[in-house]
Amino acid sequence: MASAARRIVCSFRQHKLFYLKSRLQYNAVALPISHIGPCGYVEKSHPITTRFFHSSKPFCGEKVPFKLSDIGEGITEVTVKEWYVKEGDKVAQFDPICEVQSDKASVTITSRYDGIISKLHYATDDMAKVGTPLVDIEVSGSVTEEPVEELQEKDAIPLGERDESLDTLELPAEKVLTTPSVRKMASDHKINLRDVQGTGRDGRILKEDMLRHIESLRSSKSAPKAKQQAPQEQPNKAAVSTPQQPSPPTKSPQIVRPASPVGVDRTESIKGFKRAMAKSMTAALRIPHFGYCDEIDMTSMASLRHSLKENPMVKERAIKLSFMPFFIKAASMALNHFPVLNSSVDETCENITYKASHNIGFAMDTSLGLIVPNVKNVQSLSVMDVAIELARLQELGNKGTLGTADLTGGTFTLSNIGSIGGTYAKPVIMPPEVAIGAIGRVQVLPRFNNKGEVVRASIMQVSWSADHRVIDGASMARFSNLWKAYLENPSTMILDLK
Amino acid sequence: MQTAQHKSTCPSVAGAMATLRYGHTLFFRQFFQGNNTRLGNININTSGIHSLNNNVSKNLVFVSNSTNIFENLALEDWLYKNFDFEKQSLLFMWSNTPCVVIGRHQNPWVEVNLKDMKKNGVLLSRRNSGGGTVYHDTGNLNCSFFSSRARYNRRSNLEYICQSLKSNWNLDLTISQREDIVLNNFKVSGTASKLGHKNAYHHCTLLVDVDSSMLQKILHASQIGIKCNSTPSVRSPTLNLRAICSQISVDEIIQVLGNYFIKNSSSQCCDLNFVNPSEENFPGINVLKLSFSNWHWIYGKTPSFVVNWPFGYQKPELQIVVQYGIIESLHILNNTIDRKYSEKLTELLLHQKLDNNLYNSIISSCVFKNMKDSYSNLKEILLLLCSTSVS
């Protein structure tokens, strides 16, 4: 990969657009509006991370104390106002670590190294002395920056500048093109930069080149990690695609490298659907839940469905008729008799709103996580309509293109966890609803019939959870009984057909 | 006043605009061919920028056409994040309709009286730099000096201002120890700055003709028993420059400061550029505007604090802990409040954001109606805490 012949002075114009493009994301990230402050950095209060993560292999890097550098103006002490990282977080070079304040100046301290934060020396509101360690970073050997990013930090070339400027922008002393972090590494290891082969653009020495050089100097040590190709995602700052590179780690000569462990921890930030779920679950558990479970004999329903499948009317409509449309429609019919279960309470529980539409949500497991779209106005739909709507929503859900209209406005939820497995469950209510049902697996079990004989029965469990502030056990029980009655004797659904 | 008459079209327009997004290079032409004048009788042509020579430091001046605090804060932030100041410095001048700007780590409930502000239509905003609370109106000029981190020098910026004002209006301005500009022992300017790893800016206010009575009224917070670690403001008596020199005005200062700043650059350069903080000119600025004007930044960023009630008593009865603008916990101390009321209070207040919704729920709640009259003060304080409004 490395080649001295790579020292080509490129015409600046050819790469002008390339530089512009790569400058694109320097600190100017798309900010989700509500929770990110103008500084655009990771905010402790609303942990949406704007930096990317790398899947880690255990770092056997050295713990480097990152000292608080001189702020200037003769300032010796600053107050640590906000941390953007915590112990165990991964940081990349130039990621913001914390915000300190000194005498009306608010300073953002950025990391000098790539690595993992192993220790924070100060807490929020502590006075930190300039020159003392601020954090300890376990420096990694993995290189995630790629050639253009080096340029971004150093070159910042305004358009229209002449080509020679490329060379003069770097510290002219050695005329070796590289970044400050690599220079520091060289001085730490007492390496002459001219000895190192640069593989970056114009022969720039990249961190990887430096590390490789250091490796080659220590030929006695083994390198167990050289073969690992950690799939890495781009940091926000480098917009251009990175070729994946193997990562030889740095280590000091004193450390004896232990044998590589079997499993690795992987930290991911919680984003998107998972985050929304985390938030809604936190809100949901403020509701006092009570559970009510029952068993439903699905024998008649199973045979009904079986016969309907063969029916020409169903065949010609080409819709897959599972149990779910029946569950949903039966629930809606039962809700007509128990409107309190289709209501909503406000946050302070001062008002209860009895919702007119039965927008019954059903839990869907997609590659993105758990989502709960809802079928609107089930009270006006037939079983077939519900089935069609379900199919539509399922397709959208699998593609990941469900709209907000489909995901909001639910008034009641059914979760068919039984399609995956399980019998009894303890579902969590989705605010602002007040009830939810979890349907278990259909199992074939022996049961006694009226004559006292043991017969085969298809048994399915259902577990309801309801908000005990507005719903009492009796209402829930009666609702469940009614729903059960509809399903055990599907012909009774005809009685209440509207 | 001078009329800039030369109209040069610059072939390589991008001289100063080092780092704009790919695809928006057309911005330069668009931006520079406009003829934005802010002053009726003064004709300033936004001319092109000459191409850069190496190793020459360039000084640019921008003046905002907007008087909306959020737009201006967003533009300031945009410039901080998107410009490259390795070879140039920028002076950005702006002023706003009446508003209060609190420092990054300050507590608005401690610094200002929110109810008064609402009554008088004064906006509240939070800036990115540290320091204390200031009141702005159109009689106040804000100057933001942008440079690279290495060339950041607060004092020299303040010297610029002092010298240019001295030479034009003979004002005896000095720089105090706290780096305020002082005239006759009164403060006429406050300073704050923000330093990042590449760029830095130092901004300051300049009281030219500000409504002093409103300033005094607004920057006076009533004590409601808040204990916090946020940066306190240091109050000083202030003075308007106009009070000393009646010919001075914000517009004239803009001209003077702008030209003085430009003259100090080693390259022959452009005139003052009047800019509109719009998405066209500064792609990505709309998101910044929204982030500066939303509740989570202005109120939610407040470092955590505790409200003790009643204030001033050695043994408070109720302690409210607020974190990120949300009531995190309530502590009823000394068993002085009846259990049924304390439960209802907790229900009403716990985990609620201090915003209009909570304000309305407190007003419509019957908890206080049934409690003793001595608790009406508690209700008032709670309502004051909730008078957060973001326009």
Side-chain angles (χ1 to χ4, degrees), chain B residues 305-320:
Chain B
F305 62 93
V306 173
V307 184
N308 286 324
W309 183 86
F311 168 63
Y313 283 59
Q314 283 207 337
K315 289 193 177 164
E317 291 181 43
L318 175 67
Q319 220 177 44
I320 303 175

Side-chain angles (χ1 to χ4, degrees), chain B residues 210-229:
Chain B
V210 166
D211 185 350
S212 323
S213 58
M214 185 64 86
L215 187 154
Q216 310 263 350
K217 185 172 167 195
I218 298 280
L219 291 185
H220 174 75
S222 39
Q223 292 278 20
I224 52 174
I226 293 184
K227 261 172 76 171
C228 61
N229 277 333

Side-chain angles (χ1 to χ4, degrees), chain A residues 38 43 82 84 99 104 108, chain B residues 77 81 178 194-195 301:
Chain A
E43 309 258 328
E82 196 175 349
Y84 296 127
E99 192 84 15
K104 306 192 260 195
T108 309
Chain B
D77 202 36
K81 288 184 169 130
R178 291 194 80 240
K194 173 107 187 90
L195 293 95
K301 284 276 332 157

Side-chain angles (χ1 to χ4, degrees), chain B residues 325-360:
Chain B
I326 301 177
I327 298 183
E328 203 53 51
S329 58
L330 281 160
H331 302 280
I332 314 261
L333 309 165
N334 308 322
N335 293 323
T336 41
I337 304 182
D338 253 356
R339 180 125 187 263
K340 58 175 183 225
Y341 295 132
S342 65
E343 276 175 1
K344 287 205 168 157
L345 255 185
T346 310
E347 212 179 76
L348 179 65
L349 299 173
L350 194 59
H351 299 305
Q352 302 302 316
K353 255 167 51 169
L354 293 173
D355 63 2
N356 245 347
N357 290 336
L358 184 59
Y359 189 103
N360 292 333

Side-chain angles (χ1 to χ4, degrees), chain B residues 251-293:
Chain B
D251 292 333
E252 293 185 15
I253 296 184
I254 289 179
Q255 283 299 309
V256 163
L257 279 183
N259 290 319
Y260 197 88
F261 192 75
I262 292 168
K263 275 194 210 122
N264 275 284
S265 91
S266 24
S267 65
Q268 279 300 301
C269 194
C270 46
D271 300 314
L272 277 59
N273 302 304
F274 288 83
V275 299
N276 280 322
S278 63
E279 185 72 19
E280 279 189 307
N281 291 336
F282 303 98
I285 202 177
N286 278 343
V287 181
L288 292 174
K289 280 184 212 172
L290 286 166
S291 59
F292 273 106
S293 57

